[in-house]
Amino acid sequence: AQPSLGKSSDCAAGADEDADNLAAVQLRGLPYRATAEDVRVFLGERFASQLATPSLGPDGQNLPAIHLMLNRDGRPSGFARVQFASPEAATQCRDELHMRSMEDRYVEVFLFSERPGKSRADRSANRRGEEPPSAGA
């Protein structure tokens, strides 16, 4: 049996994070100058109205529903995470908006839980200076 959603247990925090991932999409291929408002326009009123309300992260930072990701140099990466209020909204967004264009670029839409290159083990190994299993010379 699954434990109830107690706020203090690590297990519940992990379950909350998994639920958030199921209700999120990753956009790939955004124009580098795209803003959160541009993403909102791309989503259209139907999906923009289903965005999650901003929340506080574990460090107390504000987590907006539309988060434009930056690369290592602090520049726009062309990726964004979009948090919806429900997994159904995320799935519908992916199904309807995948490969739609924004300006002159096609934008790919993935469920955040199924996004390409999501392996945390590879990324954390890389941060520790270890070679990821898939890396070859």
Side-chain angles (χ1 to χ4, degrees):
Q2 289 288 336
S4 64
L5 292 179
K7 296 290 183 204
S8 62
S9 83
D10 289 340
C11 209
D16 288 346
E17 184 177 310
D18 289 345
D20 285 350
N21 284 344
L22 292 174
V25 297
Q26 177 173 288
L27 305 181
R28 179 168 76 177
L30 295 169
Y32 292 127
R33 64 183 170 276
T35 64
E37 185 56 31
D38 293 332
V39 171
R40 187 177 293 276
V41 169
F42 173 78
L43 294 173
E45 182 52 39
R46 176 171 176 221
F47 293 113
S49 67
Q50 297 183 63
L51 293 173
T53 55
S55 61
L56 289 180
D59 299 332
Q61 77 275 23
N62 189 31
L63 298 175
I66 299 171
H67 174 74
L68 297 168
M69 298 179 196
L70 304 177
N71 66 19
R72 291 180 189 165
D73 299 326
R75 295 184 183 147
S77 66
F79 287 81
R81 177 185 168 119
V82 179
Q83 186 71 48
F84 288 98
S86 72
E88 295 78 18
T91 300
Q92 290 171 355
C93 176
R94 180 206 52 199
D95 292 348
E96 294 184 28
L97 298 182
H98 183 63
M99 298 306 287
R100 290 261 175 105
S101 62
M102 177 187 278
E103 296 178 15
D104 58 345
R105 299 183 56 96
Y106 287 106
V107 176
E108 296 174 276
V109 182
F110 301 99
L111 290 177
F112 200 79
S113 59
E114 298 174 358
R115 68 198 184 280
K118 70 174 181 165
S119 172
R120 287 185 181 160
D122 288 355
R123 287 197 304 268
S124 62
N126 198 23
R127 273 191 227 115
R128 292 190 305 261
E130 299 168 6
E131 203 158 310
S134 59

